[in-house]
Amino acid sequence: MKTLVCNCNHTMPLDGPQLTAALGQTIEPHSQLCRREIVRFQQAAQSTEPLLVACTQEAKLFAALASQTEGVPPPDVRPIRFVNIRETAGWSREAKAAGPKIAALLAAAALPEPEPVPTASYHSAGRCLVIGDAESLDMARKLLADGLELTLLDTGRPGGRAAPAALPLQHEHPVHAGRVRSVRGWLGAFEVDIESANPVDLDVCTRCNACLAACPEGAIGLDYQIDLQRCTGHRDCVQACGAIGAIDFNRGPRADTLQVDLVLDLQPQPSLSLHQPPQGYYAPGSDPLALVRAATELRDLKGSFDKPRFFQYDAKLCAHSRNTLLGCHACIDICSAQAVHSRARLRPDQTPPIAEADSILPTAAQKKPFVEQIEIDPHLCVGCGACTTVCPTGALTYAYPRAPEIGARLRTLLLTAQRAGLKRPTLLFHSQETGAELIGQLGRLAAADPRVRGLPAHVIAVPLWHIASVGMELWLSAFSWGAAEILVLSDNTEAPAYLHALQGQMQLTETLLHGMGYRGARLRLLQTADARELDALLAPPRPTGAVPSIQAQFAALPQKRATLDLALDHLIRHAPAQEVASGAAVIPLPHGAGSPLGAIRVDASRCTLCLSCVGACPAGALADNPQAPQLRFIEKNCVQCGLCVKTCPEDAIRLEPRLLWGPQRSAPQVLNEAQPWRCVRCGKPFGTVQAIEQLVVKLSGHPAFAGDAANRLKMCSDCRVIDMHTRADTTIHDLP
């Protein structure tokens, strides 16, 4: 790939020979590529060779010039890529040492584009429901009426207001009065359940104001709703309304479902309080500027739209439920958009993670057949990826981009930077929108203010769609590729559950690293939306803890657990702690942090080897032995979902989060075994001694096993039938 770099009018140092050696191609820095040296860009653009320009400031100018230059291939044949090396590297107090980082950024930008992903489609005709009091409705009507098809829902006068605002005299839009019971759906497919107890039907009302003049209590305002606390029931308003028939006190509460494409909720307490509401739903609150922004966006939401399907789901790996029991529900708990729903058939005593009444799925979606596990609605999913991060089995994986593509970018960044001379690099994960803007602000401040340092030379910024989309398996892979520290930048707009999950993943990851001997602070969550504060947070000394002596060469795999095992294997093989490197690693992990690694403990005095836990285990971690009464366990497969604990009728199983490493991790271990019981009639082994003895005790009072018949409990199934048919006191009748 042909690469053009520019020092932006000599404002940042660029070492051409260093970049040439690191990238394996001749790099000749320019100083005014977008102005005086623009012909150099045109010459490079006329080639069919892939082209990378290290400037995002003038990307629009370069793209426009390419389209006007003769001989330049069109964008769909040979797209031109752009990468930022100015704010992320060159504009910094450590810019002279940032050459390896710049090389890494250029190498990562030259990687192949991620594979396209499936999309979710939306279709909106612009039917917008506005919810609020009369004054709010009037304001929204003036902003939206010329661009959208409005339906108005008047929720009544706010508390403390002496007189309600007036509804418009012109009957231009459908108007309802009442309250919202529920809101379901997404852009183009909203269902809003409303209930009205107002005696005035606003769709029939002509706004003649005869009822206002007739009401002696002044219980009717220009919003044409009746204050029933002030109304004394003389019904003069009904007589004044006459044949129009808009007022009916005998009409009971009416329920209705409005189907609309968009919702503008102007209530003081919105109907949906989700951290991430569905696309097409806006609740700007009392901020006038937020209302204008919402109105501007709503006006553009007419037509057909596509967005990526951010996830992939493999139900075979899911540990959500087995045998009507509830297991792992980490993805449901963490989703701030309620895009993940349980579809499992559960026993009455097993409460679903989210009650059906709280669902924001449309009615049609709620009536889908059960699939025995979870279901993710791509129309509600916003792509945070937190569900994939906390999924212990890898049943949910992130797809925008996929884990192998993210891993390839991290690996390229780290190996290129180290090959160019950077020791102990740090990765800074940030969102590609607000996070990138914050880092851009920091770079501009560093270029203008000598008190601001900017991004240190060893800190490599990595943009993500959402910071919660990358977790422990890729962090550990990055450490095995040579990263010394990982930082995650939050601008405090993320859902609290996401930050909690990231902190839990960091705790687990750091516990694993410390257990291997990689001491020191390895992961930090930086929470700020201020560039100067970010500069201070990046100020601590560079990490000095040990890194693997040899950088790993493996690539991230599509399977989460496989990538995790590759990273752990490399880190343990090169661990500073010799007892760990020798292959005898047992690292305890914190309880309550959502560990996907661990063992189980079985109380042999309580376990009857009924093996119900074997049938419940979704990961194949528990197994029986066809040759003997044994309960066996493969620790590598355990995901700590807890289904075995809930299934065990004897309450004999406990989870133990930990990392066991070595050959024994993949080998079956015997957790409990017993002597087989032998049939008292034929001597055939069946069951276990403990199970049969408990069965005899529990059924000793049953009439079918009274007296000598109790011996049938000690017989195999064949001998039990023979005994029942051959005993003298047994009578056999032929049925007609």
Side-chain angles (χ1 to χ4, degrees):
M1 176 176 283
K2 176 68 175 178
T3 302
L4 299 178
V5 299
C6 179
N7 61 28
C8 202
N9 199 24
H10 304 287
T11 59
M12 56 181 177
L14 291 179
D15 189 332
Q18 183 188 40
L19 295 176
T20 297
L23 298 175
Q25 62 169 293
T26 301
I27 301 295
E28 180 185 350
H30 301 82
S31 59
Q32 294 182 12
L33 186 63
C34 62
R35 297 293 187 271
R36 181 170 53 85
E37 299 167 302
I38 194 71
V39 67
R40 303 295 296 273
F41 166 77
Q42 291 177 294
Q43 292 171 350
Q46 288 172 328
S47 169
T48 57
E49 183 182 8
L51 178 60
L52 173 65
V53 180
C55 175
T56 54
Q57 164 71 29
E58 298 293 345
K60 186 175 181 180
L61 170 66
F62 287 124
L65 185 62
S67 67
Q68 299 168 12
T69 301
E70 184 178 356
V72 175
D76 57 339
V77 175
R78 196 282 315 273
I80 300 174
R81 301 188 193 177
F82 301 91
V83 60
N84 184 349
I85 63 170
R86 190 177 69 176
E87 285 85 356
T88 58
W91 282 1
S92 165
R93 292 287 164 264
E94 299 180 13
K96 292 182 179 180
K101 176 167 68 168
I102 292 175
L105 293 171
L106 294 173
L111 289 172
E113 289 288 340
E115 293 183 14
V117 300
T119 59
S121 297
Y122 301 86
H123 304 282
S124 168
R127 300 170 302 161
C128 181
L129 173 65
V130 185
I131 307 170
D133 63 86
E135 182 177 358
S136 301
L137 297 181
D138 187 55
M139 187 186 311
R141 182 183 60 82
K142 294 173 181 176
L143 291 171
L144 298 172
D146 62 332
L148 299 175
E149 180 184 333
L150 299 184
T151 298
L152 309 178
L153 175 61
D154 190 343
T155 56
R157 66 190 73 179
R161 180 176 292 174
L167 285 177
L169 285 174
Q170 295 78 14
H171 205 159
E172 298 174 337
H173 312 287
V175 182
H176 302 270
R179 67 182 185 90
V180 178
R181 298 177 60 190
S182 66
V183 177
R184 301 182 301 275
W186 48 75
L187 171 64
F190 280 106
E191 296 176 354
V192 183
D193 293 334
I194 64 173
E195 183 179 75
S196 175
N198 184 36
V200 181
D201 188 333
L202 295 181
D203 245 359
V204 178
C205 176
T206 64
R207 317 291 200 268
C208 68
N209 294 340
C211 57
L212 278 70
C215 181
E217 296 92 1
I220 308 177
L222 290 175
D223 60 350
Y224 306 106
Q225 295 193 60
I226 299 176
D227 186 345
L228 296 177
Q229 293 182 343
R230 299 172 65 180
C231 178
T232 58
H234 51 73
R235 305 303 186 250
D236 290 351
C237 57
V238 177
Q239 296 179 11
C241 189
I244 294 174
I247 305 177
D248 184 356
F249 284 87
N250 296 320
R251 182 169 43 221
R254 302 178 305 281
D256 196 5
T257 298
L258 305 179
Q259 295 184 335
V260 294
D261 301 314
L262 307 163
V263 177
L264 176 59
D265 193 341
L266 301 177
Q267 299 175 101
Q269 295 296 325
S271 297
L272 288 181
S273 57
L274 298 176
H275 183 274
Q276 184 60 60
Q279 288 181 286
Y281 177 91
Y282 291 83
S286 58
D287 183 356
L289 182 58
L291 173 60
V292 172
R293 283 198 298 264
T296 303
E297 294 183 23
L298 282 165
R299 293 171 67 92
D300 292 333
L301 293 179
K302 289 178 64 175
S304 297
F305 307 91
D306 291 322
K307 77 171 182 182
R309 291 175 67 104
F310 295 96
F311 60 89
Q312 290 180 322
Y313 176 57
D314 187 347
K316 297 189 298 294
L317 299 177
C318 186
H320 176 58
S321 71
R322 284 293 188 279
N323 303 333
T324 70
L325 289 172
L326 182 64
C328 172
H329 46 85
C331 57
I332 299 175
D333 292 342
I334 200 171
C335 182
S336 69
Q338 284 192 16
V340 190
H341 294 261
S342 174
R343 288 293 181 185
R345 296 184 183 275
L346 302 177
R347 291 189 332 208
D349 60 328
Q350 296 284 295
T351 305
I354 295 181
E356 194 67 27
D358 296 332
S359 174
I360 60 171
L361 288 171
T363 305
Q366 291 175 346
K367 292 180 179 179
K368 288 182 180 180
F370 283 96
V371 294
E372 297 297 338
Q373 292 292 3
I374 64 168
E375 186 174 35
I376 309 99
D377 198 297
H379 296 93
L380 294 174
C381 174
V382 294
C384 67
C387 58
T388 67
T389 296
V390 300
C391 177
T393 66
L396 276 170
T397 53
Y398 199 63
Y400 192 71
R402 298 172 178 86
E405 294 162 341
I406 298 176
R409 180 151 50 108
L410 300 181
R411 183 169 173 266
T412 299
L413 286 169
L414 291 167
L415 297 185
T416 303
Q418 291 170 95
R419 187 168 58 246
L422 179 59
K423 304 299 182 183
R424 294 183 171 81
T426 292
L427 295 180
L428 172 61
F429 293 104
H430 62 87
S431 67
Q432 64 187 35
E433 292 185 357
T434 56
E437 182 179 351
L438 183 60
I439 289 173
Q441 293 174 7
L442 177 60
R444 289 189 287 275
L445 281 173
D449 188 342
R451 296 168 297 179
V452 178
R453 288 177 291 271
L455 278 186
H458 68 284
V459 177
I460 304 174
V462 182
L464 301 170
W465 178 267
H466 197 287
I467 59 173
S469 62
V470 171
M472 182 168 65
E473 73 282 355
L474 285 176
W475 292 343
L476 287 170
S477 297
F479 285 122
S480 68
W481 293 323
E485 185 182 29
I486 288 177
L487 309 175
V488 180
L489 174 60
S490 163
D491 63 0
N492 292 319
T493 61
E494 295 82 7
Y498 295 167
L499 300 183
H500 179 74
L502 285 173
Q503 290 168 333
Q505 292 268 303
M506 288 180 174
Q507 183 185 11
L508 284 170
T509 305
E510 202 150 74
T511 301
L512 287 168
L513 291 170
H514 289 176
M516 300 174 200
Y518 299 99
R519 299 292 179 181
R522 297 287 177 166
L523 297 111
R524 285 192 292 150
L525 179 63
L526 310 180
Q527 295 180 255
T528 181
D530 180 79
R532 293 183 184 274
E533 186 177 4
L534 176 60
D535 192 54
L537 291 172
L538 294 171
R542 292 184 56 174
T544 57
V547 296
S549 56
I550 299 176
Q551 283 74 46
Q553 297 300 314
F554 69 84
L557 300 176
Q559 299 80 20
K560 179 176 184 174
R561 303 280 296 192
T563 301
L564 182 60
D565 284 344
L566 286 172
L568 289 171
D569 182 62
H570 183 85
L571 290 168
I572 286 176
R573 194 182 313 124
H574 300 282
Q578 291 303 309
E579 66 277 10
V580 175
S582 65
V586 180
I587 302 174
L589 297 176
H591 288 265
S595 170
L597 305 170
I600 65 170
R601 292 292 173 222
V602 174
D603 185 347
S605 65
R606 305 180 66 138
C607 176
T608 62
L609 287 176
C610 69
L611 302 181
S612 59
C613 55
V614 175
C617 180
L622 287 165
D624 62 352
N625 185 347
Q627 308 301 323
Q630 287 183 341
L631 175 62
R632 300 194 294 180
F633 177 67
I634 302 175
E635 185 158 337
K636 179 180 180 180
N637 295 343
C638 183
V639 298
Q640 298 283 286
C641 66
L643 277 167
C644 56
V645 176
K646 295 181 179 180
T647 302
C648 180
E650 311 299 341
D651 194 26
I653 302 179
R654 294 291 180 270
L655 300 179
E656 181 186 357
R658 71 175 193 177
L659 171 66
L660 170 69
W661 202 259
Q664 64 272 38
R665 184 168 185 260
S666 302
Q669 307 170 43
V670 177
L671 298 182
N672 192 21
E673 59 183 338
Q675 291 296 322
W677 177 275
R678 294 187 177 275
C679 175
V680 296
R681 183 183 179 106
C682 68
K684 174 184 174 181
F686 78 98
T688 66
V689 172
Q690 185 180 7
I692 298 302
E693 288 177 348
Q694 288 193 13
L695 193 63
V696 170
V697 172
K698 291 181 178 180
L699 296 179
S700 59
H702 196 282
F705 303 104
D708 293 340
N711 283 330
R712 292 178 189 159
L713 295 171
K714 305 174 184 178
M715 299 178 188
C716 65
S717 56
D718 293 336
C719 291
R720 193 175 304 136
V721 173
I722 294 172
D723 181 71
M724 292 175 64
H725 286 76
T726 57
R727 287 179 60 88
D729 58 351
T730 300
T731 302
I732 301 176
H733 301 278
D734 290 328
L735 296 176

